[in-house]
Amino acid sequence: MKTRQQAADGFYRNLREWFTAFLPRQRGAAENTITSCRQTWNMLLGYVAEHHHIGVEKVTFTLVDRAAVTGFLDHMQAAKSWTASTRNQRLACIRSFFTYAAAAEPALTIYLADLAAIPRLNGPAAAPVKYMSTDAVTALLAAPDPGTRIGLRDQFFMILMYDLAARDAEMLAMTLADIDTRRLTVDLLGKGSKPRRLPITSETAQHFGRYAAVFHPSPEPETPRVSSFPSTGWTTKSI
């Protein structure tokens, strides 16, 4: 009977509303952020259920206390080699839910206060950033043979990525229409689906012209993603 009373504390109702309403609609969280939070909670709920020898559906606010969350973080850090940054991100995700629940139901504030006592973990001091020399970068970008089809493609994307200082995900989301050789700009979709427009050099625009003449002689207005980056190398989606 005690378990039934505990199960009625609204834990899963609040968790469902946090995932389906608060994160995507009110907070406007990116899909990757929601996916990361979902992974965190799946792991935490599994850990708590196993620790208490109960079904996952019987987990309640009372069971997800400071000891359980700390034990979970310690366990995952040891088992999965989580860095201090990863551990802190997971803790922030867990606290975010309890903050939402406490705002929705003030009586739940006691659980948020309990988790507030869990300290963030300080990681090792960041190593000094080392940069490649100009000669090294020049040699790297000159490595592909532009006299071959694959070399032309690889060299263009290496130069474009270097010129933009773009992330992999930003390059993956790019379309041909995002590259404006007249204005010398490129539109990128960054973290949180935030668009940004960056300048490119005239040399990069010339490399794009040579690449496009071979791979996209008659492109559609919104040709899909220009390229992808599998572990085996660069490939062009639209070839």
Side-chain angles (χ1 to χ4, degrees):
M1 186 64 181
K2 183 178 180 180
T3 299
R4 291 181 180 178
Q5 291 175 347
Q6 289 177 335
D9 70 353
F11 176 79
Y12 279 107
R13 173 176 52 78
N14 279 280
L15 191 61
R16 181 178 64 252
E17 292 172 353
W18 184 66
F19 272 116
T20 61
F22 177 75
L23 287 180
R25 301 176 188 174
Q26 298 182 36
R27 185 176 174 183
E31 183 177 347
N32 288 344
T33 299
I34 296 175
T35 298
S36 177
C37 287
R38 184 174 292 110
Q39 292 171 345
T40 298
W41 274 98
N42 284 339
M43 292 185 289
L44 174 59
L45 292 174
Y47 173 85
V48 173
E50 182 178 357
H51 180 73
H52 289 280
H53 306 289
I54 60 174
V56 174
E57 73 281 359
K58 295 181 180 179
V59 174
T60 62
F61 278 107
T62 303
L63 299 182
V64 188
D65 58 7
R66 185 195 318 174
V69 173
T70 300
F72 164 72
L73 296 173
D74 290 343
H75 169 74
M76 297 305 293
Q77 188 173 4
K80 300 295 184 180
S81 300
W82 279 2
T83 63
S85 175
T86 299
R87 178 188 172 113
N88 291 337
Q89 288 174 357
R90 304 296 187 178
L91 175 59
C93 168
I94 296 168
R95 282 177 173 166
S96 175
F97 163 67
F98 279 88
T99 299
Y100 164 79
E105 299 182 40
L108 299 176
T109 302
I110 185 174
Y111 301 112
L112 174 61
D114 187 40
L115 296 189
I118 302 176
R120 288 172 54 86
L121 190 65
N122 294 323
V129 177
K130 297 181 179 180
Y131 301 93
M132 295 177 65
S133 67
T134 301
D135 290 342
V137 173
T138 300
L140 178 64
L141 298 179
D145 180 6
T148 66
R149 182 181 175 89
I150 299 302
L152 174 66
R153 177 199 64 187
D154 289 357
Q155 186 180 69
F156 163 62
F157 283 110
M158 290 170 65
I159 290 173
L160 179 63
M161 195 171 190
Y162 173 76
D163 197 6
L164 296 171
R167 303 179 183 90
D168 288 355
E170 293 173 329
M171 295 290 288
L172 285 168
M174 193 185 303
T175 68
L176 291 177
D178 293 328
I179 304 175
D180 189 333
T181 55
R182 184 173 61 86
R183 293 192 176 99
L184 295 179
T185 61
V186 173
D187 293 330
L188 294 179
L189 199 62
K191 278 189 173 182
S193 298
K194 295 179 180 178
R196 59 191 181 119
R197 178 166 293 173
L198 299 175
I200 57 174
T201 65
S202 57
E203 290 80 4
T204 298
Q206 292 171 8
H207 280 285
F208 172 67
R210 289 191 286 270
Y211 160 80
V214 174
F215 287 93
H216 305 284
S218 301
E220 295 295 327
E222 291 294 333
T223 298
R225 295 176 178 176
V226 177
S227 70
S228 62
F229 311 94
S231 58
T232 55
W234 303 63
T235 62
T236 302
K237 290 284 189 182
S238 52
I239 298 177

